[in-house]
Amino acid sequence: MQSLILLFAIGAPFVASAAIALLDERQAQRSAAIGIGALALSTCAALLTLYRLSADPTPFRLSGPPSPLMPIVLVDRLAAVMMMLITAVSLVIHVYSRRYMRDDPGYVKFYLLLSLLTFVLLCLVTSGHLLWLFVFWHAVTWLLRSLLTFNAGNAAARQAGRTTLRVHSIGDAAFVCAIMLAYATFGTFDLSELFELANGAAGATVLWEGTWFEMRSLTLITLLLVIAIMTKSAQFPFHVWLAGTIEAPTPVSAMLHAGIVNAGGFLVNRLAPLFGMAPTTLYVLFVVGALTALIGAATMLTQSSIKRTLVYSTMGQMGYMVMECGLGAFALAVFHLCAHGLFKATLFLNSGVNIHKSRTEFKFPDAHSVRDTREFALLPWITGLAITLILPLLIVLMAHGLVNIPLFETQGTLIFLFFAWVTSAQATFSLFRLEAVASWKVSLTMVATLTLIGLTYLWAGESFTHFLYPAPGQVAAYFEAAAWNQRLFDSFMALSTFLIVAVWVVLYGKAHGMRLLLPHRLDGLRDQLYVALLNGLYVEALLRAAGEIVGRKAARRHDRRTPEGLTR
């Protein structure tokens, strides 16, 4: 019975794409009906799979005759969660596109590619075979390029497709090298066998022993996988392809930012036993993710295009997700990518609606007066300050007594609590522009916001974490592998807290006309930083210039080798 349900969940989008391939543009609406119907069936089957695994955590495994190249379907709770996310988001996008893409000449082709991409993503998250995992990973690259260049008449779209293919090919090549090294070390592509062997003596194999480059094979394998993660999940400086996605139709952007770009977080969780035994790799993930989150979030604030704003928002969120993986909070990263996938798909689809209106309804937008508050809203300020500094501690102590969190004394728990505090406090202080007249309403909203976000993170840290990783001690082992030197960890947390609170105070004070001891010479530096971030720190321009230089040199070399060049 479960095999039949999985067949519907994974196979329905493929059957739909095959059926749509037989249609022509005169049957456009039929292609939409086929795609939507197949995704509705797939979503229901994915929901049943998730329900079944919620009751019984035993993974479902399906494979053919024993062979190193035989595909393996492995559906555990992680795969079930990802299947539910992919099918639900894809179904919404299919329904949205029925009217949004109605006047596009490539309507049938669009639905064919969208259904095929959904099928490939489902195969990716359910693959229990390392080689086939790469096959579907690489197939996503080519399908993404096809969707980006969907409008072949758009030169910017064609350039975006070429950039995407080049950047992703770097990560895919690193993925191939990781697979070859893993097979040479462990002698298997089967993920279940691979994890068992990695726990044994084979996982301790040392490469280049006695040299400066000495490292364990597992470390090198996971470092190569980090390159694949950086390219697919748009980590700095491999984020340059992400901005070009705005040239694709809005439903493509929604699918990309809700599903494809999350692939890095999924890959870390799928191969968590390997990453959990490579602390050096986790440290690298943290640094890469933190740098990407800062650059992405700062760049987002400088953009004037609605789509480019969402693009760099995605970059920042993906950095956040990778940083969580680097801290050993693998389940929190999955929770993050699911939440991001849902709200970012909604944001892109809504941006498409507004862009369409701006092109069809030629009128000026309604005028809205924007003004800063003239004085401190004292009650909201005191409430926000109190609940972001005192109430979290009370909630944590109460939750610890009621829920009995087993990781309370570890860095892992502090990481969960820190993320909860930052998120809830940011949401709380974002209300500082509300008028003081409604101060008691603002105060109640602050309390409700903090409570909701805090309890959500506690649920993610307890129930959802152990839902994905029910094996005793597994989660604690991941946090232990990612643990820092305690003094360094405490210093980092204290410094981060101080900087975050300081920035909040400065921004709040500036909104009310106070400089808060900031020197005037910082204004020029701020303007320069703004321009640099507006241009994406010039990374795209530098890479474009480097590509042109390489292209000119290659062209000159080619001219010298040709008979025409020799006669000149």
Side-chain angles (χ1 to χ4, degrees):
M1 181 64 179
Q2 185 60 45
S3 300
L4 184 61
I5 294 176
L6 278 178
L7 180 63
F8 281 118
I10 301 174
F14 176 77
V15 173
S17 63
I20 294 172
L22 302 176
L23 304 178
D24 55 33
E25 290 298 331
R26 292 173 297 179
Q27 299 170 301
Q29 290 302 313
R30 183 175 297 178
S31 67
I34 293 173
I36 294 171
L39 258 296
L41 179 62
S42 181
T43 303
C44 292
L47 181 61
L48 290 174
T49 301
L50 181 60
Y51 176 78
R52 180 262 185 192
L53 286 170
S54 299
D56 182 7
T58 305
F60 183 81
R61 179 185 171 92
L62 181 64
S63 62
S67 171
L69 301 180
M70 180 59 64
I72 299 171
V73 176
L74 178 65
V75 182
D76 54 4
R77 286 180 169 179
L78 172 64
V81 169
M82 296 302 298
M83 288 172 63
M84 191 67 235
L85 174 67
I86 291 168
T87 54
V89 170
S90 183
L91 176 60
V92 171
I93 293 173
H94 271 73
V95 174
Y96 174 92
S97 303
R98 184 169 194 166
R99 293 182 60 189
Y100 187 85
M101 300 291 294
R102 181 172 49 195
D103 298 326
D104 198 289
Y107 193 91
V108 174
K109 178 185 175 183
F110 171 82
Y111 268 99
L112 187 156
L113 291 174
L114 194 59
S115 297
L116 187 59
L117 176 61
T118 305
F119 165 72
V120 170
L121 288 173
L122 289 171
C123 291
L124 173 67
V125 299
T126 58
S127 178
H129 190 281
L130 192 58
L131 185 60
W132 283 97
L133 180 64
F134 166 75
V135 169
F136 296 119
W137 179 278
H138 187 59
V140 169
T141 299
W142 284 98
L143 284 172
L144 176 57
R145 179 184 180 276
S146 299
L147 284 166
L148 289 178
T149 58
F150 178 75
N151 183 5
N154 187 337
R158 294 197 304 272
Q159 179 60 40
R162 289 193 294 268
T163 302
T164 299
L165 183 60
R166 291 167 184 166
V167 172
H168 283 220
S169 295
I170 296 173
D172 293 353
F175 203 154
V176 170
C177 294
I179 292 174
M180 293 172 62
L181 181 57
Y183 188 78
T185 304
F186 303 108
T188 182
F189 293 119
D190 188 327
L191 293 184
S192 300
E193 295 179 2
L194 182 65
F195 298 153
E196 292 178 4
L197 292 171
N199 283 321
T205 303
V206 178
L207 303 174
W208 306 301
E209 191 171 1
T211 68
W212 287 94
F213 304 101
E214 178 180 322
M215 68 174 67
R216 292 193 310 147
S217 58
L218 265 178
T219 302
L220 182 56
I221 291 169
T222 51
L223 285 174
L224 289 169
L225 291 172
V226 167
I227 299 176
I229 292 166
M230 291 175 67
T231 55
K232 203 70 100 185
S233 289
Q235 301 298 292
F236 182 86
F238 295 107
H239 68 284
V240 292
W241 64 273
L242 197 61
T245 60
I246 64 175
E247 304 298 338
T250 297
V252 174
S253 300
M255 190 67 180
L256 189 155
H257 289 261
I260 296 175
V261 81
N262 293 318
F266 164 75
L267 186 63
V268 174
N269 278 268
R270 171 51 74 214
L271 304 178
L274 300 184
F275 283 92
M277 290 183 284
T280 301
T281 304
L282 295 180
Y283 301 151
V284 172
L285 280 173
F286 172 80
V287 173
V288 168
L291 183 63
T292 303
L294 289 173
I295 294 175
T299 305
M300 174 197 70
L301 298 175
T302 65
Q303 303 302 308
S304 57
S305 164
I306 182 173
K307 273 195 169 185
R308 286 185 70 89
T309 299
L310 295 177
V311 161
Y312 285 106
S313 169
T314 294
M315 177 185 170
Q317 293 296 321
M318 291 302 98
Y320 207 14
M321 177 191 70
V322 170
M323 183 175 65
E324 290 162 351
C325 291
L327 292 170
F330 296 158
L332 181 59
V334 175
F335 176 76
H336 191 159
L337 74 86
C338 289
H340 173 264
L342 293 173
F343 82 73
K344 191 53 65 71
T346 304
L347 287 173
F348 262 103
L349 296 181
N350 188 56
S351 73
V353 172
N354 286 281
I355 291 171
H356 181 73
K357 283 184 178 180
S358 68
R359 291 173 177 172
T360 56
E361 300 177 8
F362 302 101
K363 64 178 184 179
F364 288 103
D366 297 333
H368 295 283
S369 60
V370 179
R371 60 184 180 85
D372 291 335
T373 54
R374 290 172 293 180
E375 58 183 11
F376 277 97
L378 187 59
L379 182 57
W381 171 254
I382 294 176
T383 303
L385 187 65
I387 67 177
T388 52
L389 297 179
I390 299 174
L391 193 57
L393 179 61
L394 297 177
I395 292 177
V396 168
L397 293 176
M398 292 173 59
H400 177 54
L402 296 174
V403 184
N404 190 24
I405 299 176
L407 304 177
F408 187 70
E409 303 298 334
T410 67
Q411 292 183 5
T413 300
L414 293 178
I415 291 167
F416 273 97
L417 299 180
F418 185 77
F419 281 137
W421 173 72
V422 171
T423 305
S424 57
Q426 184 65 44
T428 298
F429 280 99
S430 67
L431 302 174
F432 70 86
R433 288 183 180 273
L434 298 184
E435 296 183 12
V437 177
S439 59
W440 65 271
K441 295 181 181 179
V442 176
S443 299
L444 290 178
T445 304
M446 287 179 173
V447 174
T449 299
L450 180 73
T451 304
L452 175 63
I453 296 176
L455 292 177
T456 299
Y457 268 90
L458 288 172
W459 173 81
E462 176 65 15
S463 301
F464 188 70
T465 296
H466 293 285
F467 175 79
L468 290 182
Y469 298 103
Q474 188 177 13
V475 176
Y478 294 151
F479 279 121
E480 184 178 352
W484 297 8
N485 175 277
Q486 192 60 44
R487 184 172 298 177
L488 176 63
F489 181 80
D490 293 341
S491 301
F492 177 80
M493 297 288 282
L495 179 62
S496 300
T497 301
F498 171 77
L499 290 176
I500 289 170
V501 173
V503 170
W504 285 335
V505 172
V506 169
L507 293 177
Y508 190 88
K510 183 180 178 183
H512 293 80
M514 296 181 295
R515 296 198 59 83
L516 298 175
L517 303 179
L518 292 178
H520 287 280
R521 62 175 176 270
L522 289 181
D523 291 340
L525 180 61
R526 181 195 62 190
D527 295 340
Q528 293 175 10
L529 181 60
Y530 183 92
V531 174
L533 291 171
L534 180 63
N535 291 278
L537 295 180
Y538 304 107
V539 174
E540 298 173 42
L542 289 173
L543 291 177
R544 192 180 305 113
E548 291 175 356
I549 292 172
V550 172
R552 286 197 296 267
K553 288 184 176 179
R556 293 194 195 102
R557 191 178 300 112
H558 179 268
D559 289 342
R560 294 193 193 102
R561 291 177 179 175
T562 58
E564 292 81 0
L566 293 174
T567 58
R568 292 195 187 113

